[in-house]
Amino acid sequence: MVLLGFNYRLTDIACALGLSQLAKLKANLARRREIAGHYTAAFRDLPGLIPPSVRAEVNPAWHLYPIRVDLAKLTVDRGQIFQALRAENIGVNVHYIPVHLHPYYRGRFGHRDGECSVAEAAYERLISLPMFHGMTDADVGDVVRAVSKVISSYAR
């Protein structure tokens, strides 16, 4: 973020499109939860990777599926894991850059590395895996195979 943003409101057309999606919400959430369950089961015992944990009373929507790379058990950093997964044609991303590290906040308020060590440490270890309700079982399998291959290649 290089400039301070604005809080825009939805147009009537965007609201109508959003309302039309509500009928699909239950099925879409069920599919995301199914995918998350498959990821979690596949990665539970993979050294070098920590899948997200969820308290028993919580039922997340799985907007994202963030994995943490356990840098102590790997020979490379998060960036190299990220690039290797991209090379395997897996659309991984990083969510989110800590707010104080964005150029706007650095310039405007003088924020520096090290001010929010917990957020920075998390950022250095997180990778978001593909997660959308339209993923096929084959897509999920491709992600699982690629992540397992990449993490295993760099395990200590």
Side-chain angles (χ1 to χ4, degrees):
M1 187 167 91
V2 294
L3 297 171
L4 188 61
F6 298 94
N7 186 0
Y8 292 102
R9 303 292 184 234
L10 291 174
T11 65
D12 289 348
I13 298 289
C15 287
L17 287 171
L19 285 172
S20 72
Q21 294 298 305
L22 287 177
K24 302 175 186 177
L25 180 62
K26 188 174 181 178
N28 290 351
L29 287 175
R31 178 61 180 152
R32 285 175 176 270
R33 290 174 178 141
E34 183 181 331
I35 294 166
H38 189 75
Y39 281 165
T40 300
F43 302 139
R44 183 173 288 124
D45 298 320
L46 185 61
L49 187 146
I50 304 165
S53 61
V54 178
R55 293 188 315 261
E57 73 277 8
V58 175
N59 193 14
W62 294 108
H63 164 67
L64 299 173
Y65 190 90
I67 56 170
R68 282 184 294 158
V69 292
D70 188 345
L71 298 176
K73 294 181 180 175
L74 298 171
T75 59
V76 296
D77 64 12
R78 190 271 321 269
Q80 290 165 289
I81 298 290
F82 181 93
Q83 290 304 324
L85 287 168
R86 285 284 176 108
E88 293 288 327
N89 206 26
I90 303 300
V92 292
N93 279 298
V94 175
H95 296 95
Y96 294 95
I97 298 171
V99 172
H100 72 287
L101 298 181
H102 284 268
Y104 175 81
Y105 291 95
R106 286 180 182 264
R108 172 83 185 224
F109 301 109
H111 288 297
R112 301 284 174 251
D113 290 355
E115 291 180 346
C116 299
S117 59
V118 173
E120 292 170 36
Y123 171 66
E124 292 169 0
R125 290 165 177 77
L126 288 170
I127 297 175
S128 295
L129 298 183
M131 171 56 80
F132 55 97
H133 67 271
M135 291 180 77
T136 65
D137 290 344
D139 294 334
V140 175
D142 289 343
V143 172
V144 168
R145 279 186 293 282
V147 170
S148 298
K149 174 185 172 183
V150 168
I151 294 295
S152 295
S153 315
Y154 294 113
R156 290 190 190 272

